[in-house]
Amino acid sequence: RKEVEQDPGPFNVPEGATVAFNCTYSNSASQSFFWYRQDCRKEPKLLMSVYSSGNEDGRFTAQLNRASQYISLLIRDSKLSDSATYLCVVNMGGSQGNLIFGKGTKLSVKP
Amino acid sequence: ETGVTQTPRHLVMGMTNKKSLKCEQHLGHNAMYWYKQSAKKPLELMFVYSLEERVENNSVPSRFSPECPNSSHLFLHLHTLQPEDSALYLCASSQEPYSQPQHFGDGTRLSIL
């Protein structure tokens, strides 16, 4: 089983749609979780951290399910500018930390 | 200048060449990283430095040799690379090792002939 798995997509959705991505991780001792966004030919940028109780930032909601070992990202009222690849990042812990990136899920929002 | 800057943006080299990638961060961070991003593969963490000391080396072949002369600069020295080493090499920094957010540079697109 891969350490961090994401559906690669692409997810093609119309403007205004709600779209959700999941990411599963293999190590139950993983400590912290993040969603990054990477635009085409650009560097990754932190979108939001994922907290145990779930958290929201505007149209974006992140949730963590430790029992099932997955995190999710929900985007409401999607905009054209949301088109990007969304990377799931898991810190699997250990004495020195261990950051693992998923392959990313590509989202394309169409007019 | 702000953020994380990488040079060169593009590099084409033969398998017998020696070249270096450079990264500089202007954020006052204590940790710097090298990542490799290949097509259809996840971002792979290669090296982590904390205050000029290497804290992680993820089984990277010795043809990649990092150097961190101070907390603001990070180099990746390349020699006798293989075609499969062609990728985007991203530098990042963060306040402390593994802390978030990580700030990434634009990357160096490396092609091995």
Side-chain angles (χ1 to χ4, degrees), chain B residues 64-84:
Chain B
F64 295 91
S65 174
E67 178 191 358
C68 189
N70 56 63
S71 59
S72 300
H73 293 85
L74 187 63
F75 295 90
L76 189 61
H77 304 299
L78 317 171
H79 62 99
T80 56
L81 295 192
Q82 305 298 310
E84 62 266 27

Side-chain angles (χ1 to χ4, degrees), chain A residues 59-76:
Chain A
R59 296 181 293 110
F60 298 83
T61 301
Q63 290 193 308
L64 166 64
N65 185 321
R66 283 195 183 272
S68 301
Q69 293 180 210
Y70 76 84
I71 66 171
S72 63
L73 178 68
L74 180 78
I75 306 176
R76 288 182 299 280

Side-chain angles (χ1 to χ4, degrees), chain A residues 25-31 33 66-67 69 92:
Chain A
Y25 59 94
S26 59
N27 187 341
S28 59
S30 297
Q31 297 177 343
F33 311 87
R66 283 195 183 272
Q69 293 180 210
M92 296 203 170

Side-chain angles (χ1 to χ4, degrees), chain A residues 8-67:
Chain A
F11 284 56
N12 296 310
V13 303
E15 267 186 294
T18 296
V19 61
F21 312 133
N22 280 344
C23 167
T24 57
Y25 59 94
S26 59
N27 187 341
S28 59
S30 297
Q31 297 177 343
S32 48
F33 311 87
F34 311 92
W35 284 103
Y36 271 72
R37 170 193 170 132
Q38 187 171 22
D39 291 286
C40 187
R41 297 195 168 274
K42 295 282 205 174
E43 74 278 17
K45 290 184 179 176
L46 180 67
L47 178 66
M48 58 198 301
S49 302
V50 186
Y51 302 121
S52 297
S53 53
N55 48 298
E56 193 173 303
D57 182 1
R59 296 181 293 110
F60 298 83
T61 301
Q63 290 193 308
L64 166 64
N65 185 321
R66 283 195 183 272

Side-chain angles (χ1 to χ4, degrees), chain B residues 6-79:
Chain B
Q6 290 186 242
T7 54
R9 293 292 304 276
H10 301 274
L11 179 61
V12 180
M13 56 188 284
M15 289 192 284
T16 57
N17 291 156
K18 288 184 181 181
K19 295 284 183 184
S20 295
L21 309 185
K22 179 182 175 183
C23 176
E24 186 173 357
Q25 58 99 358
H26 309 273
L27 299 167
H29 287 166
N30 294 325
M32 296 186 77
Y33 312 79
W34 279 117
Y35 287 89
K36 176 182 178 182
Q37 189 171 37
S38 306
K40 300 191 186 301
K41 293 177 79 173
L43 210 61
E44 299 170 58
L45 180 60
M46 299 174 71
F47 300 104
V48 182
Y49 275 83
S50 173
L51 294 171
E52 305 139 50
E53 252 189 65
R54 191 190 307 182
V55 298
E56 182 168 344
N57 172 0
N58 277 330
S59 303
V60 179
S62 60
R63 57 186 184 270
F64 295 91
S65 174
E67 178 191 358
C68 189
N70 56 63
S71 59
S72 300
H73 293 85
L74 187 63
F75 295 90
L76 189 61
H77 304 299
L78 317 171
H79 62 99

